Amino acid sequence: MPKKKGDEVRKTYSVVNNVYVIIILVLVMGITILGAIAFPYYISPITYSNGGTAQAGGIAVLAALIILGLILGVYFVENKNYDIGTPILILMLVIIVIYVWLAYGSAAIKFIFNMSG
């Protein structure tokens, strides 16, 4: 029985879609590995304040939760469970945007407009 053209298109789309998911997961895993390598820096005595506690431990935990959320979101979207995967991905992206804004954005805006506060 000859194959229909639509079957080939669906198969090609499926293969391309799987390749994109694999690329995203490899990038996230690479970032995770780099984070694991940098994790001792976050909790090392070099970053301790006068009280002797780690300053950036919360950032390391936040980064781990964000990476976990991104992996879960991509997994759910890959398995066509869009009701769970899409909100998780959107939430993780919003958390990333808020953190980047708090860490860099507000200070840069204050510096540009020379505001004190």
Side-chain angles (χ1 to χ4, degrees):
M1 184 170 172
K3 292 183 179 180
K4 296 179 182 177
K5 184 154 177 102
D7 292 338
E8 291 179 21
V9 171
R10 275 189 230 110
K11 184 176 180 184
T12 304
Y13 174 75
S14 175
V15 169
V16 169
N17 193 19
N18 287 336
V19 168
Y20 283 135
V21 170
I22 290 172
I23 290 172
I24 291 170
L25 286 176
V26 166
L27 288 175
V28 169
M29 286 172 44
I31 293 169
T32 306
I33 290 169
L34 291 175
I37 291 170
F39 186 75
Y41 169 76
Y42 287 122
I43 60 171
S44 73
I46 297 171
T47 60
Y48 286 5
S49 63
N50 292 333
T53 59
Q55 292 177 341
I59 296 171
V61 171
L62 178 65
L65 290 175
I66 288 173
I67 291 169
L68 177 68
L70 289 173
I71 291 173
L72 279 174
V74 170
Y75 173 77
F76 283 128
V77 168
E78 179 186 5
N79 289 325
K80 296 183 172 70
N81 196 346
Y82 302 113
D83 295 339
I84 297 174
T86 305
I88 289 175
L89 286 174
I90 291 172
L91 178 66
M92 292 303 121
L93 290 174
V94 167
I95 291 172
I96 290 170
V97 167
I98 290 171
Y99 175 73
V100 169
W101 173 256
L102 290 175
Y104 304 108
S106 59
I109 295 296
K110 286 181 183 178
F111 177 76
I112 289 171
F113 291 109
N114 199 12
M115 294 183 212
S116 63

